[in-house]
Amino acid sequence: MTDTRIIDASDPSDQNGIVDLAVGLLVEGEVVALPTETVYGLGADALNADAVAKIFTAKERPKFDPLIVHVGSYEQIDEVANVPDELREVIDKLMKAHWPGPLTLVLPKKECVPDIVTSGLPAVAVRMSAHPLMKAIVRKLGRPIAAPSANRFGRISPTSASAVEKELAGRIPMIIDGGACREGLESTIIRPEISADAGKKGVLIHVLRSGPVTKEMLQRFGKVVRVKKNRSEDAPEAPGQLASHYAPVTPLRLLSKPSEFKPEPGKKYALLSYCGSEKAGFMDLHEWVAVEQLSPGNGKLAEAAVRFFYVLRLLDEIGADEIIAEPVSETGLGVAMMDKLRRASVR
Ligand code: AMP
Ligand code: MG
């Protein structure tokens, strides 16, 4: 057991001291849980294989699931990736439009990036976080930081320091509490490629994981295609897309319409509602032991995204036998949420 310190970073005047604390641990080859705008990450010096190994141990993450590497500037992408000449223009445009922000680029890796980071793949996933603390910590460290979500493998991603604490307390030395995550969903992961089949722009954008940067937002950079299936579970192109991901401990079932609900006598069911609307037909369908709405303020998809993992966690802690999930509209941000609900859903 390790003592886990939780550092409150809510006072901006403490920022320099907190950055120094985190950087001190990273320099020593330790891991630290850090806030980003998407979900909390568990960070380590990306170029130190022993430090990165501690991420896998703390998360109980299988070695075949590679990590996202955070950089602190546009130029730092060239420290970890070999950007092909023909992709340089579109990568520059994507970075200018979405960095810092929730967009991860998969590119051929530089030799200095240890195999443990990329699970032996020839590509590395790179992003630049918009969270002021994460940005300041990567810059002060002067080296890229590998940081997957700060949860145990296969579990719900944490969007607050208290969620990280539930997942990893006793396993890591420090959690920096930078408040609730602004986006609430993991970054969109893309692999851009030059292709003759991609129409006028000649750029094919493979979406390996849907997220806050939506298909609609990516279309001006090239032809967007979704990678639906892993090539194999051992060496998947988008390994975070394994079927077991994002699951609460309580079984969850995503329904497309109320008539699909067939309750078993004596079982306790909780409802994950989209907007709490009675019109959808789920609210009055059953004596739910609990109901949580993704968008109680009717902010619809943006609000639902911010609350998504938080609400899943709440329902998971209620002690229901099953969580019944109402569908959300499958456009924009809804694509990522439906994807996660399908993966979490029992079959
Ligand atoms: P996490 O931050 O926990 O959501 O995990 C990072 C995810 O990024 C992995 O599960 C993969 O889906 C993806 N990823 C990381 N590195 C690569 C890579 N080299 N190629 C493809 N996908 C990657
Ligand atoms: Mg994850």
Side-chain angles (χ1 to χ4, degrees):
M1 279 284 276
T2 312
D3 266 343
T4 304
R5 284 177 72 190
I6 300 172
I7 307 292
D8 177 0
S10 55
D11 183 349
S13 65
D14 294 339
Q15 179 162 324
N16 289 346
I18 290 169
V19 169
D20 288 343
L21 263 180
V23 169
L25 279 172
L26 294 168
V27 167
E28 284 169 25
E30 268 308 328
V31 293
V32 190
L34 302 166
T36 84
E37 74 279 35
T38 59
V39 303
Y40 273 71
L42 183 60
D45 177 344
L47 304 182
N48 176 343
D50 293 336
V52 173
K54 293 182 184 169
I55 296 180
F56 283 87
T57 306
K59 281 183 58 102
E60 294 171 42
R61 185 176 175 110
K63 292 280 183 350
F64 62 71
D65 195 358
L67 310 181
I68 292 174
V69 171
H70 287 250
V71 294
S73 66
Y74 293 166
E75 295 74 39
Q76 210 176 15
I77 195 172
D78 295 306
E79 282 177 31
V80 290
N82 283 315
V83 179
D85 288 345
E86 67 275 18
L87 280 180
R88 180 64 74 175
E89 192 186 333
V90 69
I91 295 293
D92 280 348
K93 284 186 187 155
L94 283 162
M95 289 196 298
K96 286 215 174 79
H98 291 291
W99 280 17
L103 181 70
T104 298
L105 304 169
V106 172
L107 290 162
K109 84 171 189 84
K110 277 251 157 80
E111 198 145 337
C112 63
V113 179
D115 279 341
I116 187 170
V117 172
T118 63
S119 304
L121 293 172
V124 61
V126 195
R127 97 167 180 99
M128 181 171 161
S129 170
H131 196 289
L133 274 167
M134 183 63 170
K135 246 187 342 197
I137 290 167
V138 194
R139 285 182 186 164
K140 182 85 193 239
L141 181 66
R143 288 159 75 89
I145 294 179
S149 53
N151 51 281
R152 276 171 285 150
F153 181 70
R155 299 287 309 280
I156 302 171
S157 297
T159 50
S160 66
S162 67
V164 179
E165 195 183 353
K166 284 184 188 143
E167 289 287 326
L168 299 176
R171 297 166 176 238
I172 60 173
M174 190 177 285
I175 300 170
I176 307 287
D177 182 355
C181 299
R182 199 181 67 201
E183 301 278 355
L185 296 178
E186 297 98 336
S187 62
T188 303
I189 304 179
I190 61 169
R191 182 171 63 81
E193 183 189 33
I194 298 296
S195 164
D197 305 331
K200 232 177 34 220
K201 292 199 183 76
V203 180
L204 211 51
I205 296 181
H206 300 270
V207 177
L208 311 188
R209 176 171 76 188
S210 302
V213 177
T214 61
K215 180 179 177 188
E216 292 77 6
M217 291 155 94
L218 291 167
Q219 263 156 348
R220 68 185 171 98
F221 302 98
K223 183 174 168 189
V224 181
V225 286
R226 271 203 73 194
V227 174
K228 285 237 169 64
K229 272 223 168 338
N230 295 321
R231 286 198 208 112
S232 87
E233 298 252 305
D234 294 334
E237 183 169 24
Q241 307 293 290
L242 288 178
S244 64
H245 254 65
Y246 315 110
V249 175
T250 312
L252 180 145
R253 189 181 301 271
L254 171 66
L255 301 183
S256 47
K257 48 183 191 296
S259 60
E260 287 174 5
F261 181 55
K262 305 273 187 279
E264 288 175 35
K267 269 198 166 184
K268 289 183 287 180
Y269 294 93
L271 178 68
L272 173 61
S273 165
Y274 177 24
C275 294
S277 144
E278 274 148 36
K279 266 195 290 183
F282 286 91
M283 293 292 279
D284 299 328
L285 190 61
H286 188 74
E287 288 279 323
W288 308 107
V289 289
V291 177
E292 289 293 339
Q293 298 171 33
L294 286 173
S295 174
N298 235 356
K300 299 274 172 68
L301 288 171
E303 185 184 30
V306 171
R307 287 171 50 81
F308 186 76
F309 286 124
Y310 165 72
V311 165
L312 267 186
R313 222 168 248 284
L314 277 183
L315 288 175
D316 203 12
E317 287 166 1
I318 268 160
D321 294 306
E322 192 162 89
I323 299 167
I324 299 298
E326 223 181 276
V328 307
S329 49
E330 204 162 3
T331 53
L333 282 168
V335 175
M337 282 183 275
M338 283 298 278
D339 185 46
K340 289 173 205 301
L341 286 174
R342 285 198 185 100
R343 287 173 201 285
S345 186
V346 288
R347 274 154 271 241

